[in-house]
């Protein structure tokens, strides 16, 4: 007989305790899956909201199941052999029989279509898989919605990974926190004044619904700013008041500890050691940093796969690009265990050693065919590089700090992190011992390379102003050359260029990679100075040589400056149409290696090229794009028309050509584009994520 009506309704779903917030896309996806798939499993880490999402989805779908929607809560089940009993009890099977209970359950559930919600399967996973497989085989009308920290592994299972809530100031995490805070403290209201603080709390808690609900209740005893400060000790702060709540949800520590108990000893050890990483890691890094003692490097890949199945780590990418990461809350739990094991110092040292090797290897291969790979790899490892540098500085390891910061000159200079690199280099040099040495010399050289001082900006402005005057005097095209960005980007002021050339015999303290860079930079400086003197034919010759030398090395970043100066020369010679191709090639290359500063300078060039080509409206849009790129490069003054000769001049000319309102609208449209759309516009309509 089919499962019976209970209490005047079909099924046993409990009423929801409070309003459900967000998850519209996930609910729609689950609704669609329940109509086509017989087993849907929601996976994700503890506290991410799998149970609540499944319950909401079951309530929404129950009208589609005449046989009822039935919840089987498994979190308190300790004996896996009693799982069939739990299903029988939840679905109101009262028959006493000597035959196998699962057979009786199958007969009991047969008949009208029904939905079985199995909540919290991970600790009885094998038995869950067996029972579900039997039920699906013998009850054709049955659909199962399960929640688990790892898949059941049953044939036909459809997995849906539940992620934390989105974290923007107007997204679901903030909405959930605000709703629960208002319930706990009726005087609480989300306002523009406190929205940023609420968003910061949500970000610190990774958008994890359980953590957000626990934090919201704490507003009864803490003002919002104190709550944010207290999240440094989140496991102690986020304790639920005594009220009916599943034991595993009483505190954040208990919720994550539940996952910890499900791990093997080696998985727990790896979890603890992985906590030294920030922002993710790849397999090679995990093998180097986390091996030792009972944990062999050869075992780590399989253990990572197991931790990923158990929702402790997440996996992104394919092939060589595969990376793993942990939510910060999960990482913090692992860090506590690492400290308790007494391994914090040793594993941290291996982390620094690994990323010191990464920095050196990247330097050796930067000016070659692997440049794009290294730009992407170091951008992905940016958080780990920061952790390594900070730890070296804190651990009084001046040589390691000098080597790390100095070896990364190419990353600081070429990938848009000059300001950050300058700060780290200054701190490392202050801690360096007297007397210097190779690492000290390289760090000094790198510091000079990435340092931009007010004199540099004034020099850049004076060159641009001189060219604007030259363009007026010689009646050159409307496009006064955008040398502000170029001069700053290639550091062309002759009075200071000697500091970039390194030591005697033309060799840089940065070693072979630095010496090659010195040669290529010299060509770029020559092209710049020739362009600033309006010697455009000679500028193009030098730029072609720069392009050729880079092409032989398979190098992208400096080659893009060759394209830049070829385009610049084309505009100066009145051949704007010819300038568009190399300018776009330069921009595409700068984007590929994440060079924000270079991309901003090339965007200026494209403003000039499009204006000279008669595309005034597009040029105005690109002016808005250019300003945003200068801001993202960390030099917003070079996108400010009130202080920059180039932007001031183009604002005047394009405003005159287009008219006040059309000009303002075009600049606004360009300025409101997202990064990918802005780059696509500048590249002439190319679409897809560019990753700047």
């Amino acid at each position: 007989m089919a499962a019976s009506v209970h209490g005047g309704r079909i099924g046993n779903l409990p009423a929801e305790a409070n309003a459900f917030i967000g998850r519209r896309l996930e609910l729609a996806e689950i609704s669609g899956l329940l109509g086509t798939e017989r087993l849907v499993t929601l996976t994700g880490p503890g506290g991410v909201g799998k149970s609540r999402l499944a319950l909401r989805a079951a309530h929404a779908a129950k009208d589609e199941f005449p046989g009822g929607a039935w919840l089987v809560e498994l979190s308190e089940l300790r004996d896996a052999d009693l799982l069939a009993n739990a299903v029988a009890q939840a679905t109101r099977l009262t028959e006493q029989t000597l035959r196998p209970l699962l057979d009786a359950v199958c007969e009991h559930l047969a008949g009208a279509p029904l939905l079985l919600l199995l909540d919290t399967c991970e600790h009885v996973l094998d038995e869950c898989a067996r029972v579900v497989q039997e039920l699906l085989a013998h009850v054709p009308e049955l659909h199962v919605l399960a929640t688990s920290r790892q898949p059941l592994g049953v044939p036909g299972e459809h997995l849906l990974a539940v992620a934390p809530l989105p974290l923007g100031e107007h997204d679901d995490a903030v909405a959930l926190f605000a709703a629960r805070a208002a319930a706990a403290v009726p005087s609480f209201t989300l306002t523009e004044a406190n929205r940023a603080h609420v968003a910061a709390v949500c970000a610190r808690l990774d958008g994890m619904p359980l953590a957000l609900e626990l934090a919201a209740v704490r507003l009864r005893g803490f003002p919002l700013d104190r709550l944010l400060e207290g999240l440094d000790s989140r496991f102690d702060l986020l304790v639920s008041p005594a009220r009916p709540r599943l034991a595993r949800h009483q505190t954040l520590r208990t919720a994550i500890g539940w996952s910890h108990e499900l791990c093997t000893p080696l998985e727990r050890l790896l979890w603890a050691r992985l906590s030294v990483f920030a922002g993710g890691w790849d397999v090679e890094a995990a093998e180097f940093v986390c091996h030792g003692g009972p944990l062999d490097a050869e075992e780590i890949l399989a253990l990572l796969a197991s931790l990923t199945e158990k929702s402790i780590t997440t996996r992104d990418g394919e092939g060589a690009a595969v990376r793993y990461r942990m939510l910060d809350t999960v990482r913090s739990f692992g860090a506590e265990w690492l400290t308790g094991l007494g391994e914090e110092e040793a594993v941290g040292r291996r982390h620094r050693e690994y990323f010191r090797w990464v920095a050196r290897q990247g330097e050796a291969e930067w000016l070659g065919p692997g440049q794009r790979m290294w730009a992407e790899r170091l951008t992905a490892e940016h958080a780990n590089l920061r952790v390594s540098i900070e730890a070296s500085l804190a651990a009084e390891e001046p040589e390691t700090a000098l080597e790390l910061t100095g070896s990364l000159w190419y990353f600081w200079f070429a990938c848009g992190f000059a300001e950050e690199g300058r700060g780290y280099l200054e701190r490392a040099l202050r801690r360096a011992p007297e007397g210097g040495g190779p690492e000290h010399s390289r760090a000094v050289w790198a510091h000079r390379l990435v340092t931009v001082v007010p004199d540099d900006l004034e020099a850049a402005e004076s060159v641009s102003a001189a060219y604007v005057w030259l363009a007026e005097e010689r009646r050159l095209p409307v496009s006064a050359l955008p040398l502000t960005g170029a001069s700053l980007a290639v550091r062309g002021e002759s009075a200071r260029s000697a500091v970039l050339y390194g030591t005697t015999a033309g060799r840089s303290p940065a070693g072979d990679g630095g010496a090659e860079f010195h040669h290529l930079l010299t060509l770029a400086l020559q092209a710049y100075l020739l362009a600033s003197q309006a010697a455009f034919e000679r500028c193009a010759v030098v730029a072609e040589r720069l392009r050729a030398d880079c092409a032989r090395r398979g190098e992208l970043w400096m080659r893009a400056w060759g394209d830049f100066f070829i385009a610049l020369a084309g505009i100066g010679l009145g051949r704007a149409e010819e300038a568009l191709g190399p300018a776009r090639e330069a921009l595409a290359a700068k984007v590929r290696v994440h060079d924000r500063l270079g991309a901003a300078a090339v965007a200026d060039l494209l403003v000039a090229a499009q204006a000279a080509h008669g595309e005034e409206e597009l040029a105005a849009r690109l002016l808005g794009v250019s300003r945003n790129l200068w801001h993202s490069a960390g030099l917003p003054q070079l996108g400010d028309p009130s202080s920059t000769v180039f932007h001031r001049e183009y604002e005047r000319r394009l405003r005159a050509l287009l008219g006040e309102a059309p000009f303002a609208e075009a600049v606004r449209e360009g300025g409101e584009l997202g990064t990918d759309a802005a780059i696509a516009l500048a590249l002439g309509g190319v679409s897809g994520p560019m990753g700047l």
Side-chain angles (χ1 to χ4, degrees):
M1 62 180 289
S4 60
V5 173
H6 176 67
R9 58 191 171 89
I10 297 179
N12 70 337
L13 298 182
E16 297 180 87
N18 45 28
F20 187 86
I21 306 293
R23 303 285 197 192
R24 290 187 299 276
L25 294 179
E26 291 95 329
L27 286 170
E29 186 170 3
I30 295 170
S31 175
L33 289 171
L34 289 177
T36 58
E37 307 293 334
R38 297 192 61 209
L39 172 59
V40 178
T41 303
L42 309 185
T43 62
V48 80
K50 302 182 296 296
S51 297
R52 185 64 196 276
L53 175 61
L55 181 60
R56 174 89 288 274
H59 270 291
K62 63 186 179 183
D63 290 345
E64 305 300 321
F65 296 96
W70 303 88
L71 169 65
V72 185
E73 173 54 65
L74 301 175
S75 63
E76 303 300 328
L77 185 67
R78 291 294 175 264
D79 185 349
D81 292 337
L82 298 178
L83 195 143
N85 297 70
V87 176
Q89 183 178 2
T91 56
R92 311 296 187 250
L93 173 59
T94 58
E95 176 186 355
Q96 301 294 320
T97 178
L98 295 177
R99 60 180 172 157
L101 181 59
L102 194 53
D103 290 350
V105 170
C106 289
E107 181 180 320
H108 174 61
L109 298 180
L114 79 163
L115 175 65
L116 196 63
L117 170 51
L118 297 177
D119 188 33
T120 315
C121 299
E122 58 268 5
H123 63 301
V124 286
L125 196 70
D126 291 341
E127 184 64 8
C128 262
R130 186 186 74 81
V131 167
V132 167
Q133 196 161 357
E134 285 288 320
L135 290 173
L136 292 175
H138 294 94
V139 187
E141 305 86 358
L142 177 66
H143 288 245
V144 176
L145 176 61
T147 74
S148 178
R149 301 189 189 188
Q150 63 188 106
L152 302 187
V154 172
E157 179 180 30
H158 189 100
L159 298 176
L160 179 61
V162 180
L165 294 172
L167 288 171
E169 288 191 9
H170 298 276
D171 281 327
D172 289 348
V174 169
L176 176 63
F177 181 90
R180 301 301 184 253
V185 183
S187 62
F188 177 86
T189 304
L190 182 65
T191 67
E192 290 307 311
N194 65 17
R195 187 181 293 274
H197 269 75
V198 171
V201 168
C202 295
R204 290 294 305 280
L205 296 174
D206 299 310
M208 296 284 279
L210 172 61
L212 296 177
E213 296 205 10
L214 293 172
V217 172
R218 299 304 292 172
L219 286 180
R220 291 173 180 165
F222 291 86
L224 186 58
D225 56 345
R226 289 287 305 280
L227 175 65
L228 181 57
E229 293 172 7
L231 291 181
D232 288 335
S233 54
R234 70 192 72 182
F235 295 116
D236 297 320
L237 179 68
L238 302 185
V239 179
S240 173
R243 61 172 178 164
R245 182 186 281 269
L246 292 174
R248 72 184 192 277
H249 286 170
Q250 285 293 326
T251 68
L252 187 61
R253 186 192 304 277
T254 305
I256 297 177
W258 173 271
S259 292
H260 199 259
E261 291 175 8
L262 298 173
C263 293
T264 66
L266 285 182
E267 289 168 353
R268 294 175 190 173
L269 179 59
L270 180 58
W271 179 351
R273 291 179 178 178
L274 289 171
S275 69
V276 300
F277 289 102
W281 63 88
D282 58 21
V283 173
E284 179 187 77
E287 289 174 343
F288 183 92
V289 174
C290 298
H291 81 280
L295 192 55
D296 294 334
E298 294 77 13
E299 298 177 281
I300 286 177
L301 178 58
L303 289 169
L304 273 174
S306 182
L307 287 176
T308 301
E309 274 209 341
K310 293 177 178 177
S311 301
I312 306 303
T313 59
T314 58
R315 179 181 183 273
D316 300 308
E318 295 295 334
V322 167
R323 288 182 65 80
Y324 297 83
R325 64 179 62 248
M326 284 190 288
L327 292 171
D328 189 55
T329 305
V330 176
R331 187 198 62 77
S332 296
F333 188 92
E336 286 193 2
W337 273 81
L338 187 67
T339 300
L341 292 170
E343 292 193 353
E344 188 175 17
E345 183 178 346
V347 179
R349 189 182 307 112
R350 287 204 297 273
H351 183 274
R352 295 193 292 278
E353 289 172 359
Y354 178 77
F355 285 101
R356 181 168 62 173
W357 174 83
V358 168
R360 290 199 307 261
Q361 195 70 15
E363 180 189 24
E365 299 178 16
W366 175 249
L367 294 175
Q371 188 175 82
R372 181 179 181 182
M373 180 275 291
W374 277 107
E376 292 175 350
R377 180 174 183 181
L378 291 173
T379 299
E381 299 291 9
H382 192 181
N384 281 309
L385 294 170
R386 285 172 172 162
V387 166
S388 297
I389 294 169
E390 291 286 358
S392 299
L393 293 168
E396 301 297 330
E397 297 176 358
E399 289 187 3
T400 300
L402 280 174
E403 185 172 6
L404 261 171
T405 55
S407 296
L408 288 168
W409 61 267
Y410 57 98
F411 181 61
W412 309 134
F413 187 62
C415 297
F417 299 104
E419 185 175 355
E420 178 180 330
R422 181 168 64 254
Y424 279 136
L425 284 159
E426 288 171 356
R427 290 170 63 188
L429 287 166
R430 280 198 300 269
R431 287 166 171 76
E434 298 291 333
E439 302 304 336
H440 186 275
S441 297
R442 173 163 51 187
V444 169
W445 178 83
H447 181 257
R448 289 174 178 167
L449 182 67
V450 301
T451 296
V452 179
V453 298
D455 287 348
D456 298 329
L457 297 177
E458 290 173 12
E461 275 296 282
S462 66
V463 172
S464 283
Y467 190 81
V468 169
W469 172 83
L470 184 66
E472 295 284 3
E473 287 294 305
R474 298 189 180 183
R475 302 183 184 278
L476 292 174
V478 166
S479 52
L481 299 180
L483 292 174
T484 299
S487 63
L488 190 58
V490 300
R491 306 299 309 284
E493 59 279 8
S494 57
R496 290 179 51 82
S497 61
V499 302
L500 304 182
Y501 289 171
T503 57
T504 57
R507 291 185 61 81
S508 157
D512 292 340
E516 289 187 29
F517 171 68
H518 164 234
H519 164 69
L520 299 176
L521 181 62
T522 300
L523 292 175
L525 291 171
Q526 289 175 6
Y528 161 78
L529 292 170
L530 289 167
S532 70
Q533 297 162 15
F536 299 120
E537 296 283 3
R538 292 170 60 198
C539 170
V541 170
V542 173
E544 286 287 5
R545 182 182 169 193
L546 173 60
R547 275 169 42 105
D549 285 359
C550 291
R552 280 195 292 273
R553 294 171 170 83
E555 198 274 347
L556 281 175
W557 176 66
M558 288 300 295
R559 176 176 175 171
W561 285 121
D563 288 322
F564 176 95
F565 286 114
I566 287 172
L568 195 61
I571 296 171
L573 292 168
R575 299 198 288 262
E577 181 67 32
E578 296 177 14
L580 286 174
R584 287 171 175 163
E585 287 183 25
L587 180 61
K590 292 300 183 186
V591 170
R592 288 191 191 103
V593 297
H594 305 276
D595 181 0
R596 294 178 176 86
L597 187 64
V602 179
D604 277 358
L605 182 65
L606 282 163
V607 172
Q610 295 291 7
H613 188 52
E615 297 283 351
E616 292 87 1
E617 185 176 340
L618 177 55
R621 286 198 189 94
L622 291 175
L623 195 60
V625 168
S626 164
R627 291 176 187 174
N628 280 352
L629 288 174
W630 282 115
H631 276 261
S632 71
L635 294 167
Q637 65 270 42
L638 292 182
D640 182 357
S642 66
S643 62
T644 305
V645 169
F646 172 78
H647 288 90
R648 214 163 44 236
E649 182 64 17
Y650 269 89
E651 177 167 335
R652 182 183 69 80
R653 297 186 183 197
L654 292 170
R655 194 186 300 274
L657 288 166
L658 292 171
E660 178 70 34
F663 169 79
E665 177 65 14
V667 172
R668 183 193 62 77
E669 288 176 0
E672 290 180 354
L673 291 174
T675 301
D676 288 345
I679 297 299
L681 176 68
L683 291 176
V686 177
S687 61
M690 301 299 295
L692 185 63

